[in-house]
Structure formats: C-alpha cells, structure tokens
C-alpha cells in the first residue's frame, strides 16, 4: 500500500529541546516536502526536496532544518523549538511522470505543541 | 512571486446545489495550479491539478476547475453538492513546477446543508 508515514503523530515538548519529526514514503518518489497548518493561515510550505541531497526553502523555513540522505526519508528538525512552532505538520511526497500524470500523497500529520 | 487568494473562509450550500469555490492567483510566469481537500481530522488529498494541458481540469469526486488566464482565476466547481463534500478546500500555486515551491491559499470551509 502506498503511504507516507510520520512519527510521532502527537508531541508535546518544551522550548529549546531539540526534536525531529520523521517522514518516510514507500513509493520511491523523488519529491518530498513539509508543510505546517495553522488556523486562519492555511498551509505553508517549510522545505521541499527534489531528490537526495537536494533541498530548498519554502515560504516559512525559519527555525527548521531538513535533510535528505536517502530517497525514502525526509526528517524535519527543530533545533530549538519555540511556542510559535506549535502547529500541525504534514509531510508529502509526489511524482510527475513523463506522461504528465501526477500523484501526490500526504502523511497523516504531526500535532506539535511547544510549551 | 507567487500568491493565492481564496476570498471568504466559509461557503454553505444545500445538498444538490452548485458548489463554487473561488481562487485567484498571482504569478509572474504560467502557473501550475492545484486544489486540495481536507476532510475533518484527516490529511490532505489532491483533487486536481492544472499544468497548461487543458484549461478545464477534471478531478476526483466530480469536481472540476477552469483556468482563466485573463481573470487569473482557477475556481473549483461541482454541479451537485453531496453531504460528503463537507470539508476544507485549499488552492495552491507554483511558478516553477509541480514538484517545487508551492504556495497555498488560506482555505475555504464548505458546509453542505441537508
């Protein structure tokens, strides 16, 4: 079954304590991305990766880091979390075929609370 | 720079009525445009995507959207609303391709009245 998994699904932490949210896909997709969702602000892209070792900033990259050492994994790292990073986070992977067909899958989300 | 405007935060329709969710974009180049749906307490799902092949794009669940360059719009429609369509809908734009930087609108919540 094609899927994007995120861990943990829920996390409550304190300001300044480094954390990593993992994202893994089993579809061999080259493209992966991270988003945060906040009430009234919709979704905002944090980082995206077009392939292994290729990452780029989205609209709100401040306070986040990512790495893409292997195709299936794209972890999101918060080196020093702050309360304004309390949010619902989604990871996604996608593929654009040569025929033009486009498929995209989202993970189930990670609800992060930073106290 | 790319941006998306979804006017209004909430739309309510009766079951069987036309659904029209508006999206206007700003892009300095021919854009890639997307509509997503998020059902309550679930993740996102891609409804449809425009990439210049055809101005009228058909998606899943009976939804379609029409790209109008002169109006910089990509409104989402469905002829007859079902109760199961109640969800939040997001429009998104990319200047550089389907697999690159993506900017979302703030979303519209669709309610369907029996």
């Amino acid at each position: 079954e094609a899927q994007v998994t995120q861990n943990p699904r829920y996390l409550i932490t304190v300001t300044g304590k480094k954390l990593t949210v993992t994202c893994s896909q089993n579809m061999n997709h080259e493209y992966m991305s991270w988003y945060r969702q906040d009430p009234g602000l919709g979704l905002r892209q944090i980082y995206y990766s077009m392939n292994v070792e290729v990452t780029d900033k989205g609209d709100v990259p401040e306070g986040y880091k990512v790495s893409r050492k292997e195709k299936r994994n794209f972890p999101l790292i918060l080196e020093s979390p702050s309360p304004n990073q309390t949010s619902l986070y989604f990871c996604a992977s996608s593929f654009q075929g040569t025929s033009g067909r486009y498929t995209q899958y989202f993970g189930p989300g990670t609800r992060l609370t930073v106290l | 720079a790319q941006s998306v405007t979804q006017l209004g935060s909430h739309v309510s329709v009766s079951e069987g009525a036309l659904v029209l969710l508006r999206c206007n974009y700003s892009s300095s180049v021919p854009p890639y445009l997307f509509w997503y749906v998020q059902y309550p307490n679930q993740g996102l799902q891609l409804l449809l995507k425009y990439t210049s092949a055809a101005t009228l794009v058909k998606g899943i669940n009976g939804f379609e959207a029409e790209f109008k360059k002169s109006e910089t719009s990509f409104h989402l429609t469905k002829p007859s609303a079902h109760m199961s369509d109640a969800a939040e809908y997001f429009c998104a734009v990319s200047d550089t391709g389907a697999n690159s930087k993506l900017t979302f609108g703030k979303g519209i919540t669709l309610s369907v009245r029996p």
Side-chain angles (χ1 to χ4, degrees):
Chain A
E1 178 190 357
Q3 62 179 356
V4 177
T5 57
Q6 294 179 226
N7 282 292
R9 294 287 314 279
Y10 302 89
L11 178 61
I12 300 174
T13 189
V14 295
T15 298
K17 186 177 181 181
K18 180 180 179 180
L19 67 92
T20 299
V21 184
T22 64
C23 174
S24 183
Q25 49 99 1
N26 63 359
M27 297 158 283
N28 204 36
H29 287 168
E30 292 181 345
Y31 177 78
M32 297 183 74
S33 55
W34 275 103
Y35 304 89
R36 61 177 289 174
Q37 183 175 17
D38 302 288
L41 297 178
L43 280 98
R44 293 176 290 170
Q45 189 181 53
I46 303 170
Y47 271 96
Y48 62 96
S49 169
M50 298 180 78
N51 212 329
V52 176
E53 302 291 2
V54 180
T55 63
D56 207 346
K57 297 176 181 178
D59 286 327
V60 289
E62 297 79 16
Y64 304 94
K65 285 176 57 178
V66 292
S67 69
R68 187 90 182 275
K69 293 182 170 51
E70 49 189 340
K71 188 177 277 190
R72 65 181 292 120
N73 296 323
F74 189 43
L76 180 69
I77 303 158
L78 285 72
E79 295 269 3
S80 182
S82 63
N84 65 12
Q85 292 178 298
T86 293
S87 187
L88 178 59
Y89 292 87
F90 289 102
C91 178
S93 75
S94 62
F95 172 74
Q96 173 87 50
T98 53
S99 63
R101 185 182 176 196
Y102 179 77
T103 56
Q104 185 175 37
Y105 292 87
F106 282 81
T110 294
R111 187 166 293 281
L112 172 66
T113 301
V114 183
L115 302 175
Chain B
Q2 57 198 39
S3 67
V4 170
T5 301
Q6 293 184 254
L7 287 178
S9 60
H10 185 238
V11 169
S12 180
V13 301
S14 297
E15 193 172 19
L18 171 71
V19 175
L20 170 61
L21 304 180
R22 299 178 187 276
C23 173
N24 290 88
Y25 70 90
S26 172
S27 174
S28 56
V29 298
Y32 293 77
L33 294 159
F34 307 78
W35 273 100
Y36 294 87
V37 61
Q38 185 178 32
Y39 297 104
N41 299 313
Q42 294 188 27
L44 283 96
Q45 184 177 5
L46 178 67
L47 269 178
L48 50 82
K49 173 176 75 80
Y50 167 77
T51 57
S52 78
T55 57
L56 184 62
V57 182
K58 294 188 183 300
I60 61 173
N61 301 339
F63 284 94
E64 62 183 33
E66 185 173 9
F67 172 69
K68 292 187 177 180
K69 183 179 178 181
S70 61
E71 299 177 8
T72 61
S73 69
F74 191 56
H75 302 332
L76 182 71
T77 60
K78 182 174 181 178
S80 177
H82 295 162
M83 297 296 291
S84 60
D85 294 327
E88 191 162 18
Y89 293 81
F90 296 93
C91 182
V93 64
S94 176
D95 282 349
T96 48
N99 287 334
S100 61
K101 187 173 181 180
L102 194 61
T103 299
F104 283 77
K106 294 183 178 181
I108 298 175
T109 299
L110 175 67
S111 300
V112 182
R113 305 184 300 272

